[in-house]
Amino acid sequence: MNNKIALPRLSEVSDYDSISCPSKAIRRGMHCPLFGCTLIMKYINDMAFLIVGTDECGFYSKEILKVTSENYLISPVYTYAVEEYDVIYGCSEKIINSLKEIQQQEKPSAICVISTCVPELIGEDLKGVIKKAQSSINTSIIYCTAHNFKENSHVDGMSDLLECFTQIMEKQNKVSKTVNIIGYRDDDIINTELYQHLMKNNIKITTSIPECGSVLKLKSATSASLNIVVDPIGLKLAKKMKEMFNIPYVVFGKYADPEKIMNSYKKIWKVLDIKEDKELILKEQELINKWNELKIRNDKVSFVYCNSRLISIDLVMMLVKYGFEAKAVYVISKNDFDREEFDKLKKYNTNPYMMMLTDFSVNDLLVENLKPTLFIGQMREQSIEEYNVKNVSTNEVESNLGFCLSKAMLDAINTALNS
Amino acid sequence: MALYRYYPIPGDRMGFLWCATQIKDIGIIEFGPMGTTNFATRHMGQQCSIHSTHISDHILTFGDSKNLELAVKEMDDTGEYKAIFVMLSSSTAIIGFDIESFCLELQPLVKSKLVPISFCALGKDYSYGINKTMMLVMKEFVVSYPKVKNSYNILGACNDEYLIKNDVIEIKRILKNSLGLNANLVYPLETSYEEVKHASQAEINIVLRNEAIPVAEYMLKEFSIPYIIARPYGINATCKMITDIAQKLQIDVNKDWLNSQINSLPKINNVTEDSVCILGNFSMIQGICDFLNQEIGINNICGFVFQHTKIKENEYIKKYSEKLFDEWMIDNKPNIVLGNSILTDYNNINYTNNVIKIPICKPYGVAGRDAEPNFCLMGFNGYKYFCNMYHF
């Protein structure tokens, strides 16, 4: 490839976490883990948050809340802005005083302390501080880390914050035929295939995390019989709830592969004692047939994959399985679903360039040099025209959970190919 | 105070970015996590590109600068940058990474001028950052050039002020028409390496804020360029700016034009019931307080200085603290507010429909989404805008 940026191929990448940025001087980069935590904050109305970090951490969080929340200015998100003195001498007493002030001001059901790069780097024992504070503050205090030198992006931030919600959960008796939906943040869940299937079988949804709305609802999660994880940000939480409360989980990811979707349904049926759904079995077969039609195309189709609503690596594997050539694959921001699929991709007969998308200017360079038939992901109109590439953008595929989503993606790919 | 419910006071790093990102042909590489760089690219200026090396705990533990070196070389290889600011983040500042020595050692191997930046956002505010950055850039880039007649520099036109672009347009209009002067450099706002380099060509410097006074002093000493301090809110301060410049340069004022401007301006009456809250930097507050109190006649004014800097408080100007600010707002329920989102989006009191809200500093609105403002507050047009808002 005629460019100054060295791109490794899949065969040169030993594991998912070794996938790296194409350039050393990263332009823009991925969002910080704190960004991810801030995106979740709006969902739990009676939880206050204390960000322990620099002024910038707090400033940018408020800027994000301005976009995501009503009444952002008085939303219970506080910043303790660490100063030089704190770095040298510590700030435990000041943090405790801050927590007391927040408790007095907000009277929240819980307070979450979010520790960012600076306190983590200096080794401020915030867990110990919280334990000390708890003796004089009559509100549950939980602790979450969001440091960008260990975590990659906002996805990790969301994932870690969700996991830390287990700190306020307590064991409860299980109620049969109930589930939690973990990780859902899209449009109304009642329109999804999964939800409608659960309702059809009289399965009650105990709560949806993070959209549950309150600390009480969060706590109620431990009465569910099953956790259904629909987004990678929920996987750590589900694993922790299995460990702490013995609540099983099923990953119901946004797969392209109909067999994986059916596998997820079967696991749900087994745990919840639901009969096989003939309609869904038929849907699976229809979808498999539709995917098979890709095999009989005469033309050689190549693609660069950037992003979509589906699990990236799963979609890439499906396209490769049906004879498409993967020229380059971006990881937008690393996530646990992709991480779990990565080793399978290594076994496929494909060797695309692999990189972390942190610099959109590389998009054009790749398309110009690799000349793929298809570009899957967000691309500027100008670039689509300039490089004469067929584009499948996320916007063309409506969000859903189940076979519908895989079919919608397949339809979008076919539409682009036939355009 | 370190606990904030609203926006924290921005730190020195943000002050640096507000300045540096306005200068074309400069690149910035941050030796730190890419998350903060991501934020900066969305919220700061677009003239100059900001990059990050990203960072891991391995790098923080061992002080490994290999990635930084490769990143600087990568940027230098593009040939796009006359200078590259090599910037620490809070994390790398804490581990004591010696950015100055790094730049010194790498300089012979790259064409771009490497400028080490070591702000760390641990207590010093944006005002300090703006002050130091303006001085640093001047000292690094400005060289001696022959003077260009009838030219001036505006120093301290900084992008943390929401209306600054339009304010500068108004100042330029006034100085062109009243004195026949042209702007040589507006610093540091939408400028370039070349423009900054030629700063010494100007006959006079106009200093808009306190943070730029050291730069003006430096240019007086090094290049014999005199300066005046101006914050032209209202008719009086605008006229004073014009006459101060005329005196320094010993030139005549176009009185016909000036009178025609003043005579066309509306008047404001019956201001005794008004109550004003201002939130911004010190220079801004001082200028607006003088305008509203001495020229318009409003007495119930409180200006909260959104900085950590020690200031001399008086009956109108107070140091900002959220507690004090909340108390004043609840007690006084102002009908005129000038500031950032903390004031304009404040919801601890019910603003009436008649309240005048004027955004004058950032953060305001949604960066990258909202349209740029189409009004100014300085000069005659600024006065007119204020009167129009008042009368509605």
Side-chain angles (χ1 to χ4, degrees):
Chain A
M1 193 160 128
N2 183 22
N3 69 85
K4 61 186 180 311
I5 302 167
L7 298 179
R9 290 202 176 262
L10 178 62
S11 53
E12 296 165 279
V13 176
S14 54
D15 56 80
Y16 181 71
D17 287 302
S18 304
I19 300 172
S20 60
C21 314
S23 40
K24 290 294 175 198
I26 302 163
R27 198 157 173 165
R28 182 157 282 184
M30 292 188 290
H31 289 293
C32 159
L34 179 61
F35 181 98
C37 295
T38 309
L39 292 177
I40 299 292
M41 286 172 188
K42 67 175 183 180
Y43 293 116
I44 321 290
N45 300 321
D46 56 347
M47 182 179 281
F49 294 86
L50 174 63
I51 299 167
V52 181
T54 64
D55 53 87
E56 259 177 282
C57 299
F59 185 98
Y60 290 134
S61 289
K62 278 290 175 185
E63 286 285 81
I64 295 158
L65 287 168
K66 188 188 269 181
V67 179
T68 62
S69 310
E70 280 182 38
N71 297 325
Y72 72 96
L73 211 52
I74 54 167
S75 61
V77 178
Y78 289 70
T79 304
Y80 180 83
V82 175
E83 295 174 354
E84 207 167 0
Y85 183 95
D86 300 324
V87 170
I88 300 166
Y89 297 105
C91 51
S92 53
E93 284 308 312
K94 290 182 193 172
I95 302 271
I96 293 172
N97 290 337
S98 299
L99 288 167
K100 285 179 180 167
E101 198 174 317
I102 293 169
Q103 202 257 343
Q104 258 178 348
Q105 178 76 24
E106 305 291 340
K107 298 179 184 17
S109 303
I111 305 174
C112 178
V113 176
I114 300 179
S115 173
T116 61
C117 298
V118 169
E120 288 299 305
L121 182 58
I122 63 174
E124 186 70 53
D125 181 16
L126 285 173
K127 266 192 190 161
V129 169
I130 288 167
K131 201 172 174 185
K132 191 174 173 188
Q134 200 70 96
S135 61
S136 53
I137 295 175
N138 192 20
T139 302
S140 302
I141 308 174
I142 63 177
Y143 167 71
C144 178
T145 58
H147 39 62
N148 207 190
F149 56 86
K150 276 196 180 150
E151 307 286 17
N152 288 298
S153 75
H154 62 294
V155 177
D156 293 316
M158 289 193 276
S159 179
D160 289 342
L161 183 56
L162 256 53
E163 190 196 12
C164 91
F165 287 155
T166 53
Q167 295 170 40
I168 44 167
M169 291 179 182
E170 286 164 2
K171 206 173 171 77
Q172 292 184 72
N173 292 329
K174 304 275 176 298
V175 176
S176 67
K177 304 275 193 200
T178 59
V179 301
N180 296 318
I181 305 291
I182 311 279
Y184 191 76
R185 288 167 299 120
D186 284 327
D187 302 322
D188 216 338
I189 195 172
I190 63 172
N191 296 325
T192 63
E193 177 191 294
L194 172 66
Y195 180 90
Q196 283 162 12
H197 175 70
L198 293 171
M199 292 304 106
K200 188 172 150 189
N201 289 279
N202 298 316
I203 305 297
K204 189 168 173 286
I205 296 181
T206 307
T207 191
S208 173
I209 300 174
E211 293 183 327
C212 49
S214 70
V215 170
L216 193 65
K217 269 289 190 181
L218 261 182
K219 288 181 175 179
S220 71
T222 51
S223 67
S225 306
L226 174 68
N227 281 330
I228 302 177
V229 186
V230 300
D231 190 283
I233 67 165
L235 192 56
K236 272 189 184 165
L237 170 61
K239 286 182 176 177
K240 195 77 179 177
M241 287 179 78
K242 166 83 179 137
E243 183 193 312
M244 289 174 70
F245 309 110
N246 202 26
I247 300 174
Y249 68 91
V250 169
V251 170
F252 196 96
K254 291 176 179 170
Y255 296 112
D257 189 342
E259 286 175 11
K260 284 183 183 149
I261 300 169
M262 179 48 77
N263 223 19
S264 299
Y265 271 121
K266 284 180 176 172
K267 286 179 187 171
I268 292 171
W269 295 340
K270 189 176 174 189
V271 174
L272 298 176
D273 194 25
I274 296 174
K275 266 193 247 176
E276 261 188 13
D277 188 314
K278 289 194 167 54
E279 223 177 276
L280 283 178
I281 292 171
L282 193 62
K283 257 189 179 169
E284 183 205 4
Q285 196 50 55
E286 280 171 1
L287 191 53
I288 289 173
N289 293 341
K290 275 205 108 47
W291 275 101
N292 282 337
E293 284 170 18
L294 281 182
K295 249 192 202 164
I296 58 170
R297 289 185 69 90
N298 292 326
D299 49 350
K300 189 92 181 125
V301 177
S302 62
F303 68 95
V304 165
Y305 179 90
C306 173
N307 65 306
S308 74
R309 291 197 188 274
L310 277 68
I311 298 174
S312 303
I313 289 179
D314 185 62
L315 178 58
V316 168
M317 288 194 292
M318 279 299 278
L319 293 173
V320 167
K321 183 171 149 183
Y322 288 108
F324 285 36
E325 184 197 351
K327 293 216 170 191
V329 175
Y330 288 39
V331 174
I332 282 269
S333 38
K334 294 176 181 173
N335 68 73
D336 289 336
F337 282 1
D338 271 341
R339 192 173 276 112
E340 304 220 324
E341 296 289 314
F342 184 73
D343 287 342
K344 292 174 203 157
L345 179 66
K346 290 275 277 173
K347 295 179 180 136
Y348 270 58
N349 183 21
T350 184
N351 201 17
Y353 291 110
M354 296 292 299
M355 75 218 86
M356 206 152 68
L357 176 67
T358 55
D359 188 344
F360 284 94
S361 63
V362 175
N363 245 1
D364 284 3
L365 192 67
L366 275 177
V367 170
E368 186 187 0
N369 280 273
L370 298 177
K371 297 180 177 31
T373 319
L374 210 56
F375 184 91
I376 303 172
Q378 290 304 118
M379 196 173 195
R380 294 178 311 142
E381 277 295 330
Q382 206 181 331
S383 302
I384 297 168
E385 278 174 33
E386 191 178 334
Y387 300 114
N388 195 26
V389 65
K390 296 172 200 279
N391 177 232
V392 181
S393 91
T394 318
N395 297 340
E396 290 163 18
V397 180
E398 271 184 35
S399 181
N400 209 315
L401 293 169
F403 294 114
C404 295
L405 184 59
S406 172
K407 183 177 178 305
M409 188 71 209
L410 182 56
D411 287 343
I413 291 171
N414 277 322
T415 305
L417 286 173
N418 296 331
S419 66
Chain B
M1 78 168 231
L3 180 68
Y4 296 92
R5 187 187 190 204
Y6 309 139
Y7 284 87
I9 293 173
D12 53 6
R13 277 172 39 92
M14 289 182 72
F16 162 76
L17 288 168
W18 265 316
C19 289
T21 53
Q22 291 292 312
I23 308 172
K24 230 170 29 150
D25 307 321
I26 301 286
I28 300 172
I29 178 77
E30 184 179 345
F31 187 34
M34 64 176 125
T36 40
T37 313
N38 185 301
F39 282 130
T41 59
R42 293 167 202 279
H43 293 264
M44 297 296 168
Q46 304 295 325
Q47 303 269 98
C48 136
S49 60
I50 313 172
H51 299 75
S52 170
T53 58
H54 195 44
I55 206 146
S56 65
D57 47 1
H58 165 89
I59 290 172
L60 289 171
T61 308
F62 297 105
D64 182 358
S65 60
K66 191 68 192 164
N67 276 350
L68 178 60
E69 189 182 320
L70 291 171
V72 171
K73 283 179 176 168
E74 193 178 290
M75 288 174 70
D76 185 60
D77 279 348
T78 64
E80 285 173 30
Y81 309 111
K82 295 278 196 306
I84 298 173
F85 289 141
V86 187
M87 181 183 176
L88 290 178
S89 72
S90 312
S91 319
T92 44
I94 286 170
I95 63 165
F97 184 78
D98 187 355
I99 197 81
E100 284 85 5
S101 298
F102 173 85
C103 288
L104 215 59
E105 280 177 23
L106 194 60
Q107 185 67 81
L109 306 175
V110 298
K111 290 193 258 353
S112 312
K113 186 170 175 54
L114 299 183
V115 182
I117 304 291
S118 53
F119 299 114
C120 56
L122 291 171
K124 295 207 167 60
D125 68 17
Y126 66 101
S127 167
Y128 175 87
I130 288 170
N131 179 314
K132 293 293 175 201
T133 303
M134 284 200 284
M135 190 61 143
L136 173 73
V137 170
M138 276 289 159
K139 281 186 171 174
E140 288 285 342
F141 301 150
V142 180
V143 293
S144 187
Y145 280 99
K147 297 276 179 286
V148 170
K149 205 155 167 47
N150 297 333
S151 69
Y152 60 89
N153 296 326
I154 297 177
L155 303 181
C158 202
N159 202 27
D160 64 313
E161 296 189 7
Y162 183 69
L163 299 175
I164 194 63
K165 285 183 202 173
N166 296 337
D167 284 338
V168 161
I169 289 170
E170 173 64 0
I171 292 172
K172 281 181 175 177
R173 182 188 77 89
I174 289 169
L175 295 182
K176 180 73 185 170
N177 286 296
S178 63
L179 296 169
L181 298 179
N182 300 301
N184 177 58
L185 168 71
V186 177
Y187 180 68
L189 186 73
E190 292 182 331
T191 184
S192 68
Y193 173 85
E194 283 301 317
E195 279 183 3
V196 173
K197 197 172 158 195
H198 286 81
S200 59
Q201 285 178 176
E203 288 193 306
I204 189 167
N205 281 327
I206 302 164
V207 175
L208 287 186
R209 64 197 283 177
N210 285 358
E211 291 89 340
I213 293 174
V215 174
E217 288 283 330
Y218 170 77
M219 292 186 82
L220 175 63
K221 188 176 164 202
E222 292 296 316
F223 307 110
S224 305
I225 302 175
Y227 69 91
I228 63 127
I229 300 173
R231 194 81 201 185
Y233 294 115
I235 301 170
N236 296 345
T238 305
C239 290
K240 184 173 185 305
M241 175 183 72
I242 295 168
T243 49
D244 283 353
I245 294 170
Q247 262 175 22
K248 276 275 190 249
L249 295 181
Q250 296 190 340
I251 55 177
D252 294 327
V253 178
N254 184 342
K255 290 203 171 99
D256 288 340
W257 182 85
L258 190 58
N259 288 335
S260 71
Q261 287 288 293
I262 294 169
N263 292 339
S264 72
L265 294 173
K267 297 284 177 279
I268 293 180
N269 300 312
N270 301 325
V271 300
T272 48
E273 300 295 321
D274 290 312
S275 171
V276 182
C277 187
I278 316 165
L279 183 66
N281 64 61
F282 181 78
S283 301
M284 190 179 243
I285 286 177
Q286 195 169 50
I288 296 174
C289 278
D290 286 347
F291 162 54
L292 293 178
N293 178 245
Q294 290 163 23
E295 195 167 325
I296 303 292
I298 299 174
N299 290 316
N300 190 9
I301 305 171
C302 194
F304 289 97
V305 179
F306 198 57
Q307 290 172 221
H308 290 310
T309 326
K310 276 198 177 87
I311 55 147
K312 201 171 171 194
E313 294 189 346
N314 59 34
E315 65 178 303
Y316 301 120
I317 300 179
K318 307 270 178 258
K319 200 156 184 282
Y320 173 79
S321 81
E322 284 186 359
K323 187 167 179 281
L324 205 62
F325 172 74
D326 276 337
E327 281 169 4
W328 194 92
M329 289 292 284
I330 291 166
D331 287 344
N332 291 272
K333 294 183 180 43
N335 64 318
I336 302 172
V337 298
L338 301 99
N340 57 24
S341 287
I342 297 174
L343 253 185
T344 59
D345 295 344
Y346 192 74
N347 40 14
N348 280 343
I349 59 172
N350 289 324
Y351 281 133
T352 66
N353 288 336
N354 296 333
V355 75
I356 298 169
K357 291 184 189 179
I358 302 176
I360 55 172
C361 56
K362 292 177 183 173
Y364 179 76
V366 177
R369 185 193 76 182
D370 291 352
E372 297 274 311
N374 58 4
F375 60 93
C376 61
L377 204 60
M378 289 187 190
F380 300 126
N381 280 335
Y383 177 86
K384 209 185 285 183
Y385 172 80
F386 183 82
C387 290
N388 288 340
M389 290 288 281
Y390 193 87
H391 289 132
F392 274 108

